[in-house]
Amino acid sequence: MPRPGDGAGNDEVKDGVSERGGYPVERKKMTQWMMRITAYAERLLQGLNDIDWSEALKEMQRNWIGKSLGATVRFGITPRGESLPNSTDFLAVFTTRVDTIFGVTYLAIAPEHELIPQLTTPDQQAAVAEYVTMARNRSERDRMSDVKTVSGVFTGSYVTNPLTDERVPVWIADYVLAGYGTGVVMGVPSSDDRDYRFAQHFGLPIVCVIEGTEGLDNPCEIKYGKLVNSGFLNGLDWQEAIRKAIARAEELGVGTGKTNYRLRDAVFSRQRYWGEPVPVYFKDKVPYPVDESKLPLVLPEIDKYLPTETGEPPLGRAEGWKYHPTPPSPASGEGLKEKSFSDAGESSKEKSSPEAGEDSGGVYDYELSTMPGWAGSSWYWYRYMDADNDQEFAAREAIDYWRDVDLYIGGSEHATGHLLYSRFWNHFLYDLGLVVEKEPFKKLINQGMIQGVSEKIFKVGASETPEDESEKNAVYYVDSANAIPRKMHILEDVGEVFVSAEVVEKGYPSKVAERHVDVSLVRDSELDIARFTEYRSDYTQAAFVCEGGYWKSGIFTPFGNGGSDKFRTKAEIEKMSKSKFNVVNPDDVIERYGADTLRLYEMFLGPLEQSKPWNTNGIDGSFKFLRKLWRLFYDEQGHWLVTDEAPPAEGLKTLHRTIRKVEEDVERYAFNTTVSTFMICVNELGALKCHQRTILQDLVIILSPYAPHVAEELWHQLGNPASVTFAAYPPFRAEYLTEESFEYPISINGKVRAKITFSLDTTPAEIEKSVLASEGVQKWLEGKSPKKVIIVPKKIVNVVV
RNA sequence: GCGGAUGUGGCGGAACUGGUAGACGUGCCAGACUUAGGAUCUGGUGCCGCAAGGCGUGGGGGUUCGAUUCCCUCCAUCCGUACCA
């Protein structure tokens, strides 16, 4: 997690604060190592088509990469009687909707745009300077949280629309982001909501170019259609118009088709201690890679894990941590400055000058920043393939054998972080020829999150503003007869007032604030006041208002309205988090029921992908199941029940039905139904009083991945010396499941009215005959003959009347 | 706004390619054994109705002999994301 003082990438900043930790983020210029993930943007996008991941996750990555197809068009800067200093005579605009170019009524540029000084006319100088300063001082956070306010300023200059030859004004607006596209937006108020708001606010003209938008209150309601008022684009469908507009722009030499990505390069430096040191040293401020013979570079010891006084990262504290190059090593010492990483898919032809860092002595400073967490997490699975290899990250044979990850089960919170970086690294390693698969994770399942159930109480007057004194010690109750809240008691010496959730729901006149309470203090939505005040000694003098009275110092004072004396909490489902006091520790469950029960219960809760609140109601079911299983082996007095008799047909049928179902379920990751299958199996074997070794031994094997501890124990009790994990999985045998007859549900007009059993060799004609003759069906026919009889073998009979 | 997902008993959920809706578990009701039980066992339990029967998978419509499942439409909830031009 980043801490104050760390560097963070764009992707690690959210709403102006660090995504993890929530620290305020400040823009600061510093030299950073970056990973050029943008070079892989297109391949990372295309690769998504080849992997079996959830659509939600793929979509998140697609959005993050943010590919947009569009065009850059150059708007000529109208001479205003003086020449521009930099001979720049146009403003380039990136747009995904060139087709609407006839609707452009202004251009908006980012407040950071470098041409602002040249574009500003003398009479607008003051206004522009003021606006730019204001926009700059607004923090990232303000700019993001306040998206509704329209602001901007006119530069005084005009540009010429190259496709229409129209003159349009240039404005500065902070809704334009300097970092995206060219930092210039062509304002089309009739087709873009932001442009529309901007034009409305500043009274700029609005020209409708999409058929059917003229006369609408807000023309942006229709964004796609045929073009109108658009010269040579008139009558074309918008997509066709884009092609034609680009062609025309290219022909005139005023623009080109262009692809843009939202994805940014990733900052790879961290100004903290714990992380892999970057194997780079500096000579005359130029970075050089550390010679391979000196790798791995190990973190030096330091006295304090804090930045140095001069603001250097913690590694700056290491005494004598310097690089001493090994004498002559022809391969080493290429200046990194000279060496450029090749673009994706191309190999670098550039060679740096060999003598750059070739030194045989001297002492140099190391890079002081360390690598981020994803330096390791982006490729670790290759180490699993060959964990003991200390020569390379994994031997070629190991990689050829294991190739990629068959199934990755992970949370969707890693969608645009770890899971994107890993794909990026893997593509890079693939390009270097070091790995054999382009995509690292063939299939990915997002497991649902186990959420917490938070309990909240309501505190009166907990807002920042000082409360009205007369309200401070007042207690209200709801008169149940007319449901009007009444002010009844003024309490003496009351520290705080808390109000039961049911009272708040019915309307409590004072301002109340929600506060989390530890879930262990709540049972069935009732707060244990005694334990709460014990745990929070600052609340010993607090009053707890319930429907029928209030508690204070352990004494209940009734209101006389017959209401409850229970203090209710409000339950809410949230992420489990210490700050929400809703964390439950599985250790408690294990302590009480054992790890197998917990494991089974978690699987039994529901589908793997679904999030659900942690609720131990029903955990007894899993526990009882394991005890029933045990009782197939031992009776209540602890006598061994297993026999070596030949297994009965019914028992074999149960066993093999279970084997089949468990196999099917594991294929579709439906562990919840697997557990219920085991429950059915044990219930049936119990009813059959089935204690034959042949059956129980196979059951133990198929159960062992799901309840490993008890399975292992029973396996040994059965007299097997080796672990059950080495036992051969029992093959499914269909012959035990053969049936001679089937009980047909007989439905009349789609409603099941009767059931009749037929042997499987009964012909449909015979079935129809006896069904129609049967009492149950005759009753519904009321003498009429049926319109139609549908017989689906081994499924259903439907009689249409 | 955009994108993704999910809606079934009191609760968690099952029903895999259209074929007995509610498996399994929990909860609840009744009973057995018990001095007792957070133990065990048996029976019942979608809703309305004394019953016959009717109604039921978020709402409305459609396809079909038959729809939780397929199509259209609307609603609700959750997650992600956003001045991205």
Side-chain angles (χ1 to χ4, degrees):
Chain A
M1 195 186 285
R3 296 191 193 136
D6 284 354
N10 274 315
D11 49 309
E12 291 170 305
V13 179
K14 211 176 182 179
D15 298 330
V17 296
S18 63
E19 188 182 9
R20 301 194 59 189
Y23 299 106
V25 174
E26 191 193 326
R27 279 170 184 272
K28 196 175 171 185
K29 282 202 173 170
M30 56 197 302
T31 310
Q32 298 269 39
W33 293 98
M34 309 269 282
M35 284 278 167
R36 215 174 137 200
I37 191 171
T38 51
Y40 283 78
E42 185 61 31
R43 290 169 63 191
L44 289 172
L45 189 64
Q46 294 310 320
L48 290 172
N49 299 327
D50 306 327
I51 48 182
D52 184 9
W53 290 19
S54 75
E55 199 47 44
L57 204 62
K58 288 196 204 178
E59 201 57 31
M60 269 187 235
Q61 292 207 343
R62 281 191 198 108
N63 292 340
W64 196 257
I65 295 165
K67 179 179 184 175
S68 48
L69 283 164
T72 43
V73 179
R74 295 191 283 276
F75 282 62
I77 294 174
T78 310
R80 36 164 229 262
E82 48 187 289
S83 60
L84 289 173
N86 292 333
S87 79
T88 309
D89 53 2
F90 60 83
L91 277 176
V93 168
F94 175 73
T95 175
T96 54
R97 292 297 305 273
V98 228
D99 55 314
T100 63
I101 197 152
F102 282 83
V104 175
T105 57
Y106 69 96
L107 238 55
I109 64 178
E112 296 86 355
H113 201 280
E114 51 181 3
L115 289 182
I116 287 176
Q118 287 95 305
L119 287 164
T120 308
T121 55
D123 53 321
Q124 288 296 101
Q125 210 74 255
V128 167
E130 191 193 343
Y131 182 74
V132 169
T133 314
M134 193 274 287
R136 284 233 179 96
N137 284 349
R138 275 181 93 189
S139 69
E140 193 92 336
R141 197 175 189 166
D142 291 341
R143 246 168 106 167
M144 285 188 172
S145 56
D146 176 27
V147 299
K148 291 280 172 284
T149 315
V150 176
S151 74
V153 66
F154 179 43
T155 58
S157 293
Y158 292 83
V159 291
T160 307
N161 184 331
L163 296 186
T164 67
D165 288 330
E166 262 176 64
R167 234 173 135 240
V168 292
V170 179
W171 285 67
I172 301 167
D174 72 354
Y175 79 84
V176 183
L177 304 179
Y180 186 78
T182 58
V184 184
V185 167
M186 59 180 217
V188 186
S190 59
S191 292
D192 182 280
D193 297 285
R194 291 151 311 172
D195 296 350
Y196 180 72
R197 259 186 275 139
F198 191 82
Q200 286 257 301
H201 190 262
F202 290 107
L204 294 162
I206 295 168
V207 177
C208 292
V209 290
I210 300 291
E211 195 176 69
T213 55
E214 276 175 296
L216 289 179
D217 282 349
N218 179 356
C220 302
E221 278 167 26
I222 303 173
K223 290 197 166 71
Y224 307 103
K226 275 192 175 27
L227 276 297
V228 293
N229 298 330
S230 294
F232 68 96
L233 299 174
N234 275 335
L236 296 175
D237 186 65
W238 68 279
Q239 281 158 316
E240 210 180 319
I242 287 178
R243 270 177 296 229
K244 189 149 182 194
I246 292 175
R248 176 67 64 92
E250 285 177 348
E251 192 184 309
L252 296 172
V254 295
T256 44
K258 197 186 174 215
T259 304
N260 210 30
Y261 297 92
R262 199 187 73 123
L263 187 72
R264 313 289 172 83
D265 283 326
V267 174
F268 195 65
S269 303
R270 294 293 180 272
Q271 285 66 48
R272 51 183 293 199
Y273 181 78
W274 293 111
E276 300 86 337
V278 178
V280 157
Y281 67 97
F282 290 86
K283 182 190 171 196
D284 300 328
K285 297 191 176 172
V286 176
Y288 296 93
V290 166
D291 188 85
E292 276 193 30
S293 66
K294 302 268 184 175
L295 297 179
L297 193 54
V298 179
L299 275 174
E301 294 209 8
I302 56 173
D303 55 346
K304 272 185 276 184
Y305 300 120
L306 293 170
T308 63
E309 264 93 87
T310 53
E312 295 286 341
L315 293 191
R317 292 177 171 274
E319 298 263 339
W321 194 59
K322 301 284 180 194
Y323 184 64
H324 307 273
T326 324
S329 166
S332 73
E334 283 184 10
L336 267 186
K337 195 180 166 192
E338 299 295 320
K339 185 175 181 175
S340 77
F341 283 93
S342 59
D343 273 5
E346 296 165 23
S347 65
S348 172
K349 298 265 174 4
E350 293 174 56
K351 280 276 175 274
S352 56
S353 75
E355 71 268 38
E358 219 171 75
D359 260 292
S360 56
V363 175
Y364 303 101
D365 289 336
Y366 277 122
E367 164 67 45
L368 295 179
S369 61
T370 53
M371 300 187 201
W374 52 276
S377 67
S378 297
W379 62 285
Y380 69 93
W381 60 95
Y382 286 109
R383 287 297 290 164
Y384 286 0
M385 295 177 187
D386 196 7
D388 297 324
N389 194 330
D390 60 0
Q391 295 304 308
E392 49 195 339
F393 76 106
R396 189 61 201 213
E397 306 84 71
I399 294 170
D400 281 339
Y401 177 75
W402 293 104
R403 308 187 75 84
D404 54 5
V405 176
D406 296 302
L407 171 65
Y408 192 117
I409 297 185
S412 59
E413 68 271 23
H414 295 125
T416 55
H418 166 57
L419 291 172
L420 193 60
Y421 292 138
S422 294
R423 295 185 55 226
F424 159 49
W425 278 51
N426 201 79
H427 275 90
F428 183 69
L429 292 173
Y430 178 85
D431 286 350
L432 292 179
L434 295 171
V435 304
V436 293
E437 294 287 346
K438 285 183 190 168
E439 289 291 339
F441 314 132
K442 218 183 299 189
K443 181 176 174 65
L444 185 142
I445 295 177
N446 284 141
Q447 88 277 29
M449 223 186 316
I450 295 296
Q451 296 157 316
V453 180
S454 311
E455 297 286 357
K456 290 176 170 180
I457 58 172
F458 298 90
K459 187 173 167 215
V460 176
S463 62
E464 291 81 4
T465 52
E467 284 298 301
D468 179 353
E469 272 305 304
S470 72
E471 285 292 302
K472 200 179 169 218
N473 294 338
V475 160
Y476 294 82
Y477 80 101
V478 177
D479 186 330
S480 46
N482 45 25
I484 293 170
R486 303 196 167 215
K487 194 172 187 173
M488 272 299 283
H489 296 262
I490 302 293
L491 304 175
E492 301 294 332
D493 307 321
V494 165
E496 308 283 349
V497 177
F498 293 97
V499 188
S500 174
E502 56 192 345
V503 178
V504 172
E505 269 166 38
K506 287 177 182 167
Y508 194 80
S510 289
K511 207 184 249 179
V512 293
E514 292 186 352
R515 288 290 149 88
H516 283 95
V517 286
D518 197 298
V519 283
S520 65
L521 301 174
V522 179
R523 205 191 158 94
D524 296 329
S525 295
E526 187 191 347
L527 179 71
D528 186 333
I529 297 172
R531 282 179 56 211
F532 177 64
T533 49
E534 184 185 325
Y535 163 85
R536 289 290 304 264
S537 54
D538 45 331
Y539 291 149
T540 43
Q541 287 302 303
F544 296 84
V545 181
C546 309
E547 265 206 298
Y550 66 89
W551 289 93
K552 187 179 167 252
S553 309
I555 298 159
F556 184 69
T557 311
F559 292 142
N561 61 356
S564 159
D565 64 347
K566 301 223 186 312
F567 189 84
R568 301 287 178 196
T569 56
K570 181 180 156 195
E572 213 169 293
I573 291 160
E574 296 177 299
K575 258 190 189 174
M576 266 196 205
S577 141
K578 276 181 204 155
S579 65
K580 295 181 173 111
F581 299 103
N582 62 354
V583 175
V584 282
N585 189 340
D587 289 352
D588 302 340
V589 174
I590 292 172
E591 177 71 25
R592 193 163 152 187
Y593 295 102
D596 283 341
T597 300
L598 177 70
R599 187 181 173 97
L600 285 172
Y601 181 64
E602 282 190 301
M603 289 192 268
F604 187 58
L605 270 175
L608 180 59
E609 297 94 331
Q610 240 164 64
S611 286
K612 51 185 68 75
W614 179 244
N615 183 349
T616 48
N617 289 350
I619 196 166
D620 269 337
S622 310
F623 191 51
K624 276 188 210 163
F625 159 72
L626 291 175
R627 280 191 305 206
K628 284 187 204 167
L629 171 78
W630 190 262
R631 242 171 285 122
L632 293 173
F633 295 77
Y634 285 99
D635 71 10
E636 250 140 275
Q637 283 72 46
H639 299 127
W640 183 244
L641 298 173
V642 180
T643 72
D644 286 322
E645 289 165 26
E650 281 303 306
L652 285 168
K653 189 182 264 185
T654 294
L655 175 69
H656 284 270
R657 246 199 315 254
T658 305
I659 293 175
R660 180 175 63 186
K661 178 75 173 139
V662 168
E663 279 176 8
E664 283 167 5
D665 283 351
V666 79
E667 288 298 323
R668 55 192 186 110
Y669 313 100
F671 306 122
N672 53 330
T673 49
T674 305
V675 175
S676 70
T677 300
F678 281 124
M679 288 175 171
I680 293 167
C681 176
V682 166
N683 288 346
E684 284 180 2
L685 294 181
L688 290 169
K689 301 207 178 355
C690 178
H691 303 294
Q692 286 78 16
R693 168 183 298 272
T694 354
I695 288 173
L696 296 183
Q697 186 146 306
D698 281 354
L699 173 62
V700 166
I701 297 169
I702 57 173
L703 182 68
S704 63
Y706 302 88
H709 300 88
V710 73
E712 190 69 44
E713 179 60 30
L714 290 171
W715 183 250
H716 288 285
Q717 297 291 325
L718 284 165
N720 300 291
S723 165
V724 67
T725 52
F726 298 114
Y729 199 84
F732 165 65
R733 306 178 86 119
E735 64 263 33
Y736 293 126
L737 301 189
T738 47
E739 302 273 356
E740 278 100 55
S741 60
F742 180 77
E743 188 186 43
Y744 279 90
I746 313 297
S747 58
I748 316 284
N749 294 333
K751 283 266 172 196
V752 176
R753 300 294 179 184
K755 281 174 190 176
I756 305 175
T757 302
F758 290 103
S759 109
L760 287 183
D761 49 25
T762 319
T763 65
E766 286 169 329
I767 291 176
E768 179 169 344
K769 205 176 147 200
S770 31
V771 162
L772 292 179
S774 74
E775 206 182 311
V777 173
Q778 280 300 322
K779 187 174 136 197
W780 288 92
L781 283 174
E782 291 166 343
K784 286 171 262 179
S785 61
K787 267 193 201 149
K788 202 172 178 184
V789 179
I790 289 137
I791 295 166
V792 186
K794 283 192 84 178
K795 291 270 185 191
I796 202 166
V797 177
N798 191 14
V799 180
V800 186
V801 182

